[in-house]
Amino acid sequence: MPIKAIPSRRRLLLLAGAALGTSMLGGIGRLALADSDDDDSDNHYEESANTSFTPANTGLNARIVVVGGGMAGATAAKYLRLWGGTGLQVTLVEPAARYTSNIMSNLVLNGSRNIATLDYGYDSLAAKYGVGVKTARVVAIDAAARTVALSDGSSLPYDRLVVAPGVEFSDAYGLTQADYATRTPHAWQAGPQTSLLASQLAAMQNGSFVMTIPKAPYRCPPGPYERACLVADYLKTYRGAGSRVIVLDENATIQAERETFSHAFGVTHAGVIRYEAGVTGIQIDPVSRRVSYLDAVGNPQVIAAQAVNPIPPHRATGSSPGGWLAAAGLNNSADGRWCVVDVLSYESTAQAGIHVIGDAASCGLPKAGHVANQEAKICADAIVRLLAGQQPDPAPVANSACYSPITAGTASWLTAVYQYDGANRKMVLAANGGNTVGATAIESASVSSGNFRQMTTWFNTLMGDSFG
Ligand SMILES: Cc1cc2nc3c(=O)[nH]c(=O)nc-3n(C[C@H](O)[C@H](O)[C@H](O)COP(=O)(O)OP(=O)(O)OC[C@H]3O[C@@H](n4cnc5c(N)ncnc54)[C@H](O)[C@@H]3O)c2cc1C
């Protein structure tokens, strides 16, 4: 995609963040945000693109299969070709012809976005970077033979495998997968459930919209609170003062942007959002939409809801007992839900030669699309170095950046920089200057329309870097 305007210094920083090596990325991403103020309305280009980069022949030769064409897998496939060169045969295996972005999908609920605007294809990865795209699902991994079996009956050999299959959702609260698909959508994987939830919201009269939040770790820490704000904004704008959004959080407290969301719940959407932390024993009747639970002090409560949006507990796709990822022994976290990796290379600590990135990985970073993009680059860089007989970068840096709409026209932001702690072999939050003691994620000082405009710039840049 062409860049529509002459880049400003901030745009150049963002574009450089998309194009440079991993150890630069965290710092540059952080700089890009630090360079902007909370009300920067400078937003004139649509998508970044690395059109001037053509894979070279680096002399490296290897077959690499990437499983999953989401935020992590698409980025990894692209950067493996960019950095590894034409000798790397990179095959991306993805069952869907096109990807629907979760990021921004809460804006479909209030009608701000059409879901078609969240649609991304794989044509650029194939045409510009020479990634082979195979439309199929991985059904088994043979780690000893170094092959993956696909749903079309074929198999692919690999020298290195990158696994990025995202998450699957557990049956919970008395609900099944069929309930999520047809009656009580979680919409935590953007697509038909997002549209279903939007239509249920649009059909509400004065009444209660009940949503639930699972115990961390879950995908996109600020996402549920952002959704509560947008639904509240929609209901009070279009349905009057009698509507309520009731947030039942299984966590003890708000999991991200605590100051921002406390203010949003208590002031911006006061009287509309009721936030309850520390709830247990949630049960949902998908037909009557009756929700029962125990509040934080153990008292039983019942709500007759007009719409119910359960966000169920989730886990790495394929990690349920009998699943393909479990069969390969990759889900080696203590609870069997996630894949533990060496954060220098994202290589599984259970299976040599297999790397796991994105939401499926357990690596100390938040489960987020921006982070998945960063993990993919650290992983791609490490694979290229390993193929060249070198060691992975010993000091990777990653950054997390996220904007959260609070109303239909305003947003906040959150950013954090993570760096490698060699003593503990973990990624840890870093403060300015690299001091990790007391470091925290940084929230925007205010909620503003300028942030909302910048959110679009950030989103387009991120998606352009992953798919463009
Ligand atoms: C409502 C919402 C809002 C969000 N907002 C933000 C935000 O503002 N900022 C942010 O950074 N993050 C946000 N996120 C989180 C972000 O979307 C995820 O963290 C990100 O998509 C994770 O990337 P991934 O590649 O691991 O998984 P995905 O993007 O889900 O991709 C996984 C891919 O793997 C494929 N796959 C699955 N199984 C197989 C198989 N067997 N074989 C082959 N392919 C397979 C799937 O089809 C899918 O395409 C949000 C999430 C939600 C739900």
Side-chain angles (χ1 to χ4, degrees), residues 10 23 107 118 127 138 142 146-148 152 192 194 232 239 270 287 365-366 372 426 468:
R10 182 168 52 79
S23 44
L107 289 169
L118 303 177
V138 166
D142 186 334
R146 298 206 164 203
T147 58
V148 290
D152 63 4
T194 313
R239 295 291 179 272
V287 178
L365 300 179
K426 287 189 340 201

Side-chain angles (χ1 to χ4, degrees), residues 36-412:
S36 64
D37 60 27
D38 274 8
D39 202 10
D40 186 344
S41 60
D42 186 14
N43 173 28
H44 300 297
Y45 76 102
E46 285 183 335
E47 286 194 9
S48 73
N50 297 327
T51 46
S52 58
F53 290 83
T54 308
N57 184 353
T58 63
L60 297 177
N61 286 290
R63 296 159 305 181
I64 302 181
V65 174
V66 180
V67 183
M71 298 301 298
T75 310
K78 168 177 166 176
Y79 278 88
L80 279 164
R81 286 282 298 181
L82 267 177
W83 293 337
T86 50
L88 295 198
Q89 289 173 43
V90 178
T91 307
L92 179 67
V93 183
E94 163 62 50
R98 301 190 68 82
Y99 177 75
T100 304
S101 169
N102 300 309
I103 306 177
M104 300 289 130
S105 66
N106 281 333
L107 289 169
V108 174
L109 302 180
N110 68 352
S112 295
R113 265 187 183 262
N114 186 306
I115 196 154
T117 68
L118 303 177
D119 182 273
Y120 293 84
Y122 301 103
D123 293 353
S124 285
L125 296 186
K128 284 193 206 162
Y129 308 104
V131 172
V133 179
K134 178 91 179 156
T135 307
R137 183 177 298 279
V138 166
V139 294
I141 298 171
D142 186 334
R146 298 206 164 203
T147 58
V148 290
L150 308 187
S151 50
D152 63 4
S154 65
S155 75
L156 289 172
Y158 66 81
D159 298 305
R160 292 253 163 201
L161 180 64
V162 180
V163 176
V167 298
E168 65 187 24
F169 299 88
S170 307
D171 290 354
Y173 317 130
L175 303 172
T176 64
Q177 302 297 314
D179 293 323
Y180 300 144
T182 59
R183 298 195 284 205
T184 49
H186 54 69
W188 217 238
Q189 178 72 55
Q193 288 193 27
T194 313
S195 304
L196 176 60
L197 188 61
S199 65
Q200 291 182 347
L201 178 60
M204 277 183 68
Q205 301 306 316
N206 274 351
S208 297
F209 179 100
V210 176
M211 56 181 292
T212 69
I213 305 175
K215 278 214 150 106
Y218 60 85
R219 161 177 277 183
C220 193
Y225 310 105
E226 162 190 306
R227 178 174 286 179
C229 288
L230 286 173
V231 171
D233 189 54
Y234 175 86
L235 287 175
K236 72 186 185 197
T237 305
Y238 296 108
R239 295 291 179 272
S243 304
R244 295 285 175 273
V245 177
I246 300 166
V247 183
L248 303 179
D249 195 341
E250 294 189 289
N251 297 288
T253 184
I254 293 171
Q255 295 298 295
E257 296 184 63
R258 204 164 294 163
E259 285 182 28
T260 297
F261 289 116
S262 296
H263 186 267
F265 294 174
V267 179
T268 314
H269 301 303
V272 182
I273 295 182
R274 186 175 101 207
Y275 174 72
E276 292 194 43
V279 309
T280 55
I282 299 170
Q283 283 294 307
I284 297 168
D285 183 325
V287 178
S288 67
R289 295 177 178 160
R290 180 180 177 274
V291 181
S292 60
Y293 62 99
L294 300 176
D295 65 20
V297 293
N299 289 329
Q301 306 288 345
V302 176
I303 306 169
Q306 277 191 5
V308 187
N309 173 219
I311 302 174
H314 30 291
R315 57 194 304 158
T317 299
S319 70
S320 297
W324 58 273
L325 188 128
L330 290 168
N331 58 328
N332 59 336
S333 66
D335 60 8
R337 290 165 61 198
W338 312 109
C339 307
V340 182
V341 295
D342 174 349
V343 294
L344 291 184
S345 62
Y346 287 82
E347 189 163 6
S348 161
T349 56
Q351 293 286 7
I354 302 181
H355 303 250
V356 185
I357 53 175
D359 287 355
S362 173
C363 60
L365 300 179
K367 297 189 184 302
H370 187 113
V371 172
N373 170 287
Q374 303 264 295
E375 292 173 14
K377 289 170 182 166
I378 296 173
C379 175
D381 178 64
I383 288 175
V384 170
R385 291 182 195 227
L386 288 167
L387 290 172
Q390 301 168 9
Q391 289 304 306
D393 178 355
V397 175
N399 101 303
S400 173
C402 191
Y403 285 81
S404 297
I406 302 297
T407 68
T410 62
S412 62

